[in-house]
Amino acid sequence: MNEYLFSYGTLQKDKVQLETFGRLLKGSKDTLAGYKLSTIKITDEDVLHKSEQEYHLIAIPSEQETDTIDGVIFEITHEELLAADGYETDAYKREKLTFRSGRTAWVYIAASHTP
């Protein structure tokens, strides 16, 4: 059974996909409503090596349904989903949410957020 994973950041980079999953992923554009983007500083050496960037985007809940995040929903295997869990730092948690298209997918959002 395949899984679906929404990416709005570094998981869309070819280098990150190749080093995390061993292949390039196929996906389709979609939008997540009710969330907005912020940035966090990454200190995990493995993630810094793969992403080649110190600051990463992070989705945080918004009280405004008009706030949206554009990204891509990738079709992946369960094993690849676990590999994605290993790539993301403790600042993120994985939740299954519904997107503008009506599709549901996993997405990494802020593990804790205080407005």
Side-chain angles (χ1 to χ4, degrees):
M1 185 175 110
N2 284 334
E3 302 278 1
Y4 296 92
L5 177 64
F6 179 75
S7 172
Y8 51 84
T10 59
L11 283 174
Q12 293 181 54
K13 292 177 136 188
D14 288 355
K15 182 179 189 293
V16 172
Q17 290 181 15
L18 288 170
E19 291 192 18
T20 304
F21 309 114
R23 68 181 181 101
L24 294 178
L25 304 179
K26 292 186 186 327
S28 56
K29 293 184 185 231
D30 215 325
T31 301
L32 177 61
Y35 283 79
K36 58 187 175 181
L37 290 175
S38 185
T39 57
I40 61 166
K41 184 175 181 176
I42 299 295
T43 57
D44 182 286
E45 290 297 325
D46 188 50
V47 176
L48 287 169
H49 170 75
K50 288 179 182 178
S51 70
E52 299 178 328
Q53 64 188 69
E54 186 176 9
Y55 290 90
H56 286 209
L57 297 174
I58 191 164
I60 55 174
S62 170
E63 295 180 12
Q64 305 295 320
E65 271 297 309
T66 53
D67 285 338
T68 59
I69 298 173
D70 293 325
V72 177
I73 293 179
F74 293 112
E75 187 173 342
I76 61 174
T77 67
H78 182 72
E79 291 75 21
E80 288 170 332
L81 183 62
L82 297 178
D85 286 347
Y87 171 76
E88 297 296 352
T89 68
D90 291 345
Y92 297 87
K93 67 179 177 181
R94 177 166 47 94
E95 282 196 13
K96 191 171 268 191
L97 299 174
T98 302
F99 294 80
R100 277 254 169 90
S101 65
R103 295 173 70 192
T104 59
W106 293 106
V107 60
Y108 293 97
I109 63 171
S112 62
H113 175 67
T114 50

